[in-house]
Structures are given as structure tokens and as C-alpha cells.
Amino acid sequence: MSLSTATLRTQLDAVGEICGQPNRVLLAWSGGRDSTVLLHLLSCWAKDTGNELIALHVNHGLQNGADAWQAHCDAQAREFGVALQCFRVEVGNEGLGLEASARKARYATLQSAVEPGDWLLTAHHQDDQAETVLLNLLRGSGIPGLRGTAACRRLGTGFLIRPLLNVAGQAIADYAAERSLAWIDDPSNADQQFDRNYLRGTVLPVLQARWPQAARSLTRSAAHATEAALLLDELAHGDIDSCGSAERLSISAMRALSAARQRNLVRTACRILHVQSPPFHQMHAIQNELLNARCDASPLVIWPGGEARRYRDHLYLMATTNSLSVATGLLSRDQPRSPLAGHQGVLSLNWSDEGGIREGTVVAGLQLRFRAGGERIQLAGNGRRRRLKSLFQEAGVVPWMRDRIPLLFAGEELVAVGDLWIAAEYHEPRGFSVTWEQKPALF
């Protein structure tokens, strides 16, 4: 595809038919050649269409010249007549490697700038797509990985759009040279210790010398994989519906599916739940050990970022359970919300005309704790105090959540057990109900 303001406008018009017209158009601008070319194109497009355009520059501080790059971007944005926002980020060490950690910090920062209806554009092009497909092939990725980079997807309350995926890197280089654009060359892009740089600098040139259309062909394969992935996704959603829900899957129903459909179902359910999909060996452990375990067994399969558990005839997929700590240990009328750590959701108190905790108790404040053992509560219509352990067993609460259900205390008196039960002596026809948002599966 040739590169011009007209071709870009055609691409963005097609995006508008899918996503609606943008609130604002944001460009992730490193100051490098590709994003500078896209900024130049967008500045012309924005003047023609009247769209608000803002360039976003993230300064990672990883290179000695990082501040000079930011100054270059500031000067060039003024030359193009484009608004610029700069962000400085700290790149942490999370065991991901420097390149992946910087990417994670960059996208988190860019997403924070996105407002409802915004389009965030990046300058990924056809050669980048070819590199992504090759990397994923070498990592043993399945169909979802072979899709490469999506041309358009949701990002928070806006959209992430890559309008140059069908444009060859050479076309971008020619555009920059013809217009004498100035850009920054990041020296880290030449460091071939990074896999992507090695592919770009060594592997792709060899492939293209023999097969000049290699990048275009790999991009076409990514499009085929995208279509196949959509079909697998449709199949998985139907299978999830027949097995219950992503949070709680019937093992009897799953065992009626083929092994391939079971794996497809698990991967899709993990994506729905924002849980990392299990790697090859853990996936087979789920199928061979967990699905075939005795009904009274409690097997556990763990992988980085996720885990699978069985209780009775159901499979539960979830983020790795860890800390039981809370951001705040007190709830009251003036402070009615408390987030729970470890992907456990948010607990809140809300006035209700249909019954809840009596107002005076909430005004005095409730301490949020977790089960330590031996707790008892008297429920309405029951003449004696019952042990929580017995109530959980009778209700069928999954074992791993019994110590993770938030408990509300007035002093040493147990007032409420999550959003399940309120003690009879603290319950009134009109009072504060307990709401547990983003609650993990309990049953």
C-alpha cells in the first residue's frame, strides 16, 4: 500500500464506521521515524477534518539522551502545530525483562491518558506485524498468537488503532525521506540481544532476499489466523454457555467435549476472566488430572498469573490467590467502600429499604477482617448461634474461599459475612445492605 494523507483518511474512515467518530485522536509518539511519519500524516488529516489531535510522548529515562529526545519532540510538535503531552515513567523490574517492562509501563501510561471515545494510534506497520507473527511462531503460539497485532481493539474507554499495518516499512522510509522529516534513532533498536531486533536486523532481510513478499505474506497469514480465532471464539462461547459460566464450569459437561474443545474453552474463559492462559503442561494437567479427579478431591493446578481448582463437579479458573490484606480495614457511613487485595473485588455498604445492618452500628464503624477460626453467627429464624465452618459447608461455599470471605465486626461481635448473611441481632427492615462487587465465585 502506498502512503499518503488520502490513504490514511480511507483507513480512518473505515475505523470510524466500526468505532464511531473519535472524541480525540491521540498518537503514541516516540520521536522515531515511523511515529513521526504518522504524526505528519495525522497533522494534515486533522486540519482537513477538524479532529483534535494530541501527540503523547513517554520518557522512560532508560537512555542517556532521553531528555534530549523529549526536547526534540517538543520542538517538532510546535513545527507541526500539534499539541504534545509528555510523561515520565519509572520502569520497574517485574521479572519480565527490560524490553517487556518498558512496554508495560508505556502502555499503562498511554491508557491512563485515554478518555471515553478517544482513539489512540500507534505506528506499527507491515514489517512489525511480520516480526510479531514470526516471534509467536518461534514461541509455539497457537492461533490467537498467530493473529499478530490487532488493527483495532478496545483500550479502556477508547480504542487502540494501528492504521499502518498494511503499509511496508520501506514505504514509510520513502515518505520520510521525500519530505525531509527529522526523527530520532533509538540506539537500543540496533541491540540484537533482543529477539525482535535480531529478527528485524538479521532474519527478515535474509527471508526477504529470497522471498521479497515475505512481510506481506506473513501479514496475510495473520489475517487468516484472525478469522480462525474468531470462529474458535464463537465456538468457545457456546461451549461456555453449555457448561455454566466462565467463573464456574460444569466438569460433567466439559468431559462430553473433545480435548481440543476443552482447551479452547479454558483459554477463552481465562481471557473473559482476565487471567493468564495456562501454558502447555498446565493445560494438560487440567485435562488429565483435574477433570478426571474424584468428585471429593480438591486438585489444584497453578501457573504464573493463574490457577485452576475443582470443587465437586465444577471447575474454577482464577487469578493466583495470595494476600488477604485490605486497603482499609474500616467501613462506616462516611467510608462505605473497601477494596480487597488479591483480585477479590470491593466491599461496600449501601442504604436499603429492603433490610440491612442497623444504622447506628454502621455509623459507629465496622472492622473488616477475615476468618481466623471459631467464628459464630445467629441468623434470622434460627434460635442458636452457628459456626461459620458449618454454614459454609452447608451452603456449598468452595473451600479456598472460606478464609477469604470478608467479615464485618462491631468490636468482637460478628455482624456480617460478606454479602451472604447478616447477624439477626444487627438486622433491621431498613438498613445498610452489604454489596460485594467483582466477587469471585463462591459456590
Side-chain angles (χ1 to χ4, degrees):
M1 178 186 290
S2 61
L3 193 55
S4 67
T5 305
T7 56
L8 178 69
R9 182 163 192 163
T10 299
Q11 289 288 101
L12 296 183
D13 285 347
V15 170
E17 291 178 5
I18 299 171
C19 305
Q21 292 306 303
N23 172 40
R24 302 177 304 168
V25 175
L26 314 177
L27 172 67
W29 184 33
S30 66
R33 184 195 65 193
D34 301 338
S35 57
T36 297
V37 165
L38 184 52
L39 180 65
H40 187 268
L41 286 163
L42 285 170
S43 66
C44 300
W45 170 81
K47 289 172 185 174
D48 291 342
T49 61
N51 286 101
E52 182 180 2
L53 173 63
I54 303 173
L56 308 179
H57 177 77
V58 178
N59 184 342
H60 301 90
L62 296 176
Q63 301 286 345
N64 292 332
D67 290 340
W69 298 352
Q70 182 172 324
H72 164 87
C73 289
D74 184 63
Q76 194 157 59
R78 287 198 300 271
E79 179 184 336
F80 288 172
V82 175
L84 173 67
Q85 294 180 11
C86 296
F87 305 88
R88 186 178 294 272
V89 299
E90 295 291 333
V91 178
N93 183 6
E94 304 175 21
L96 302 173
L98 183 63
E99 189 178 23
S101 295
R103 185 183 306 110
K104 182 178 179 181
R106 178 168 65 254
Y107 272 96
T109 300
L110 293 170
Q111 182 170 342
S112 70
V114 174
E115 297 178 359
D118 283 352
W119 291 1
L120 173 65
L121 274 61
T122 70
H124 293 89
H125 51 74
Q126 191 174 82
D127 294 10
D128 296 321
Q129 182 75 303
E131 293 163 11
T132 299
V133 173
L134 281 173
L135 276 173
N136 288 339
L137 272 171
L138 293 169
R139 291 167 179 160
S141 296
I143 293 296
L146 302 186
R147 292 182 299 180
T149 303
C152 178
R153 68 171 177 84
R154 273 281 182 186
L155 182 68
T157 57
F159 294 91
L160 177 60
I161 296 163
R162 300 178 174 98
L164 303 182
L165 282 183
N166 289 318
V167 178
Q170 188 58 53
I172 292 173
D174 292 343
Y175 184 99
E178 289 166 5
R179 289 156 182 80
S180 301
L181 298 181
W183 65 86
I184 299 161
D185 284 318
D186 184 344
S188 69
N189 288 337
D191 187 347
Q192 297 210 8
Q193 70 170 318
F194 297 119
D195 291 342
R196 183 175 289 273
N197 291 348
Y198 180 74
L199 278 176
R200 181 182 302 137
T202 301
V203 177
L204 268 177
V206 173
L207 292 176
Q208 290 172 325
R210 179 63 182 260
W211 297 283
Q213 303 302 318
R216 183 184 298 176
S217 297
L218 286 166
T219 299
R220 189 183 305 122
S221 293
H224 294 322
T226 296
E227 187 171 291
L230 290 172
L231 293 173
L232 288 173
D233 196 55
E234 289 180 13
L235 178 63
H237 277 83
D239 286 342
I240 289 171
D241 289 342
S242 69
C243 292
S245 67
E247 297 86 355
R248 184 174 184 265
L249 295 160
S250 165
I251 287 176
S252 296
M254 284 187 68
R255 290 176 66 178
L257 302 175
S258 68
R261 284 175 69 173
Q262 289 173 358
R263 292 190 291 272
N264 186 47
L265 183 157
V266 168
R267 282 190 286 264
T268 303
C270 284
R271 188 171 69 251
I272 291 170
L273 298 172
H274 305 289
V275 173
Q276 185 71 30
S277 183
F280 178 85
H281 292 294
Q282 285 84 351
M283 179 69 81
H284 282 270
I286 291 172
Q287 292 182 282
N288 299 329
E289 300 169 18
L290 196 149
L291 295 186
N292 293 317
R294 301 188 322 271
C295 287
D296 60 347
S298 299
L300 169 64
V301 177
I302 301 176
W303 61 92
E307 60 188 45
R309 295 176 180 264
R310 173 174 180 158
Y311 182 58
R312 297 177 179 171
D313 188 46
H314 288 93
L315 168 67
Y316 299 83
L317 300 165
M318 66 199 79
T320 305
T321 53
N322 39 46
S323 173
L324 291 177
S325 63
V326 293
T328 175
L330 184 71
L331 277 83
S332 67
R333 185 173 62 184
D334 297 328
Q335 190 174 327
R337 292 173 59 83
S338 179
L340 309 173
H343 309 283
Q344 302 298 299
V346 178
L347 202 70
S348 64
L349 300 174
N350 304 278
W351 180 258
S352 173
D353 291 329
E354 298 180 359
I357 303 171
R358 67 188 181 207
E359 185 173 10
T361 303
V362 173
V363 170
L366 294 166
Q367 189 71 33
L368 196 157
R369 305 179 200 164
F370 291 95
R371 182 173 167 228
E375 294 87 357
R376 294 175 179 268
I377 188 171
Q378 181 179 347
L379 304 181
N382 194 312
R384 61 190 178 90
R385 298 172 71 81
R386 302 283 309 281
R387 295 180 64 184
L388 280 190
K389 179 179 179 180
S390 299
L391 290 172
F392 287 154
Q393 290 173 339
E394 291 173 11
V397 174
V398 293
W400 57 90
M401 284 302 301
R402 294 174 188 175
D403 291 340
R404 297 175 178 274
I405 294 178
L407 309 178
L408 295 178
F409 285 84
E412 295 304 314
E413 291 290 319
L414 179 57
V415 174
V417 181
D419 59 352
L420 301 177
W421 306 300
I422 295 174
E425 59 265 44
Y426 291 97
H427 187 276
E428 290 191 352
R430 299 176 72 245
F432 284 86
S433 65
V434 181
T435 301
W436 191 352
E437 303 166 26
Q438 303 158 38
K439 176 173 62 178
L442 300 184
F443 303 100

